[in-house]
Coordinates of all heavy atoms in Angstrom, one line a residue:
S85 N 2.1 6.9 15.2 CA 2.1 7.8 16.3 C 1.7 9.2 15.8 O 2.3 9.7 14.9 CB 3.6 7.9 16.9 OG 4.0 6.7 17.3
L86 N 0.7 9.7 16.5 CA 0.2 11.1 16.1 C 1.1 12.1 16.6 O 1.2 12.4 17.8 CB -1.3 11.2 16.6 CG -2.0 12.5 16.2 CD1 -2.2 12.6 14.7 CD2 -3.3 12.7 17.0
V87 N 1.8 12.8 15.7 CA 2.8 13.8 16.2 C 2.2 15.3 16.0 O 2.7 16.2 16.5 CB 4.1 13.7 15.4 CG1 4.8 12.4 15.7 CG2 4.0 13.8 13.9
F88 N 1.2 15.4 15.1 CA 0.6 16.7 14.9 C -0.9 16.6 14.5 O -1.2 15.7 13.7 CB 1.3 17.5 13.8 CG 0.7 18.8 13.5 CD1 1.2 19.9 14.2 CD2 -0.2 19.0 12.5 CE1 0.6 21.2 13.9 CE2 -0.8 20.2 12.2 CZ -0.4 21.3 13.0
C89 N -1.7 17.4 15.1 CA -3.1 17.5 14.7 C -3.5 19.0 14.9 O -3.2 19.6 15.9 CB -4.0 16.5 15.4 SG -4.2 16.7 17.1
T90 N -4.3 19.5 14.0 CA -4.7 20.9 14.1 C -5.6 21.2 15.3 O -5.6 22.3 15.9 CB -5.5 21.3 12.8 OG1 -6.5 20.3 12.5 CG2 -4.5 21.4 11.7
S91 N -6.4 20.2 15.7 CA -7.3 20.4 16.9 C -6.5 20.6 18.2 O -7.0 21.2 19.1 CB -8.3 19.3 17.0 OG -7.6 18.0 17.2
R92 N -5.3 20.1 18.2 CA -4.5 20.2 19.4 C -3.3 21.2 19.3 O -3.0 21.9 20.2 CB -3.9 18.8 19.7 CG -3.0 18.7 21.0 CD -2.3 17.3 21.0 NE -1.3 17.2 20.0 CZ -0.8 16.0 19.6 NH1 -1.3 14.9 20.2 NH2 0.0 15.9 18.6
D93 N -2.7 21.2 18.1 CA -1.5 22.0 17.9 C -1.7 23.3 17.1 O -0.8 24.1 16.9 CB -0.4 21.1 17.2 CG -0.1 19.9 17.9 OD1 0.3 20.0 19.1 OD2 -0.3 18.8 17.4
G94 N -2.9 23.5 16.6 CA -3.2 24.7 15.9 C -3.0 24.6 14.4 O -2.4 23.7 13.9
F95 N -3.5 25.6 13.7 CA -3.4 25.6 12.2 C -2.2 26.4 11.8 O -2.2 27.6 11.5 CB -4.7 26.3 11.6 CG -5.9 25.4 11.7 CD1 -6.6 25.2 12.9 CD2 -6.3 24.7 10.6 CE1 -7.7 24.3 12.9 CE2 -7.4 23.8 10.6 CZ -8.1 23.7 11.8
S96 N -1.0 25.7 11.8 CA 0.2 26.4 11.5 C 1.2 25.4 10.9 O 1.5 24.4 11.5 CB 0.9 27.0 12.7 OG 2.2 27.4 12.5
L97 N 1.7 25.7 9.7 CA 2.6 24.8 9.0 C 3.9 24.8 9.8 O 4.6 23.8 9.8 CB 2.8 25.3 7.5 CG 3.7 24.4 6.7 CD1 3.3 22.9 6.6 CD2 3.9 25.0 5.3
R98 N 4.3 25.9 10.3 CA 5.6 26.0 11.1 C 5.5 25.1 12.3 O 6.5 24.4 12.7 CB 5.9 27.4 11.5 CG 6.1 28.4 10.3 CD 6.7 29.7 10.7 NE 6.8 30.6 9.6 CZ 7.6 31.7 9.6 NH1 8.3 32.0 10.7 NH2 7.6 32.5 8.5
S99 N 4.3 25.0 12.9 CA 4.1 24.1 14.1 C 4.3 22.7 13.6 O 4.8 21.8 14.3 CB 2.8 24.3 14.7 OG 2.7 25.6 15.3
L100 N 3.8 22.4 12.4 CA 3.9 21.0 11.9 C 5.4 20.7 11.7 O 5.8 19.6 12.1 CB 3.1 20.9 10.6 CG 3.3 19.6 9.8 CD1 2.9 18.4 10.6 CD2 2.6 19.7 8.5
Y101 N 6.1 21.6 11.2 CA 7.6 21.3 11.0 C 8.3 21.1 12.3 O 9.1 20.2 12.5 CB 8.2 22.5 10.3 CG 7.8 22.6 8.8 CD1 7.7 23.9 8.2 CD2 7.6 21.5 8.0 CE1 7.4 24.1 6.9 CE2 7.2 21.7 6.7 CZ 7.1 22.9 6.1 OH 6.8 23.1 4.8
R102 N 7.9 21.9 13.3 CA 8.5 21.8 14.7 C 8.2 20.4 15.3 O 9.1 19.8 15.9 CB 8.0 22.9 15.6 CG 8.7 24.3 15.3 CD 8.5 25.2 16.5 NE 7.1 25.5 16.7 CZ 6.4 26.5 16.1 NH1 7.1 27.4 15.3 NH2 5.2 26.8 16.4

Side-chain angles (χ1 to χ4, degrees):
S85 301
L86 183 63
V87 297
F88 177 88
C89 66
T90 50
S91 60
R92 181 189 67 197
D93 304 303
F95 286 77
S96 169
L97 184 58
R98 297 192 183 199
S99 296
L100 173 59
Y101 292 146
R102 282 196 297 269

